[in-house]
Amino acid sequence: MDINLNGRIYFKHVYATNMEDWGVLAFPLSQNATDAGRHYQRGAPVLLAIPLKPKAVAGPVTAEVCGRIFAVCTLAVLAGAATREIANPDMVRQYPDVVEQWNTALPIVKLWRLPEPRPYSEFSQDLVEMARIRRGQLIQLGEPAAEVRNWLASLRCEEAKLTHSSRVKALLDFMGR
């Protein structure tokens, strides 16, 4: 995995495992993408996990990934990005209710699927509680970051092929991705 492990590490609950189809990471009404992007350190890993008991899903979710980190991604920062404008148009058409509820997003630059999803409860009960309270928000890891950093460094994952909208493709080309 070609990822910067020297800086911050983030965590985010998501409600589907097909992130490569969306091409973006959407945010709940309680945290818009512009605010999340202001605090995001470019190139930093974001651990993606499905909640232990998701109330609703926005795509495929199997019991084996509930309560587990199943992927890692990096993000591009794009101010004022509406999900309906930057997500894969096919997904926007297929899930209009999801796009309305999760109405801002940041483009995913790189995405890696983990060979074996890992329960995030193994890292810290504080993380479990914070993730429960701040459901769907981007959370910067505190105390368990060193353990997570070592774990990520030991993983061998292939980068997933992402489907991006034309707007995101243009942005990533401009950024030199």
Side-chain angles (χ1 to χ4, degrees):
M1 207 171 7
D2 176 27
I3 197 163
N4 177 9
L5 295 176
N6 296 321
R8 298 175 186 155
I9 298 176
Y10 300 87
F11 175 92
K12 187 173 182 321
H13 271 149
V14 295
Y15 296 86
T17 57
N18 60 336
M19 304 310 297
E20 61 274 14
D21 294 337
W22 285 92
V24 299
L25 191 58
F27 289 85
L29 298 174
S30 61
Q31 180 188 45
N32 73 48
T34 301
D35 290 340
R38 259 190 225 113
H39 300 286
Y40 176 73
Q41 182 181 27
R42 185 176 178 203
V46 179
L47 309 175
L48 303 177
I50 300 292
L52 186 58
K53 297 176 183 173
K55 293 179 182 174
V57 295
V61 171
T62 62
E64 294 81 28
V65 295
C66 291
R68 296 173 181 264
I69 300 164
F70 70 92
V72 178
C73 73
T74 60
L75 304 171
V77 176
L78 180 64
T83 303
R84 72 184 170 300
E85 295 173 4
I86 67 167
N88 173 357
D90 294 336
M91 297 304 284
V92 171
R93 280 189 292 278
Q94 190 174 351
Y95 294 99
D97 294 345
V98 171
V99 172
E100 187 174 314
Q101 183 178 355
W102 298 75
N103 64 353
T104 64
L106 294 175
I108 297 173
V109 177
K110 293 183 177 185
L111 175 74
W112 298 270
R113 291 205 164 273
L114 304 184
E116 292 185 34
R118 182 170 177 179
Y120 53 89
S121 60
E122 290 180 2
F123 292 112
S124 159
Q125 284 305 309
D126 288 342
L127 172 59
V128 172
E129 186 61 16
M130 188 179 302
R132 186 188 64 75
I133 293 168
R134 296 183 57 196
R135 204 167 270 240
Q137 294 183 6
L138 188 66
I139 301 168
Q140 182 179 333
L141 293 187
E143 173 228 323
E147 183 182 351
V148 170
R149 190 172 282 109
N150 293 337
W151 171 63
L152 288 174
S154 72
L155 295 175
R156 300 294 168 248
C157 305
E158 287 192 33
E159 189 175 339
K161 182 169 175 16
L162 293 160
T163 302
H164 287 122
S165 67
S166 56
R167 183 172 174 195
V168 170
K169 283 179 191 172
L171 170 71
L172 295 178
D173 288 346
F174 177 77
M175 290 174 48
R177 158 70 169 101

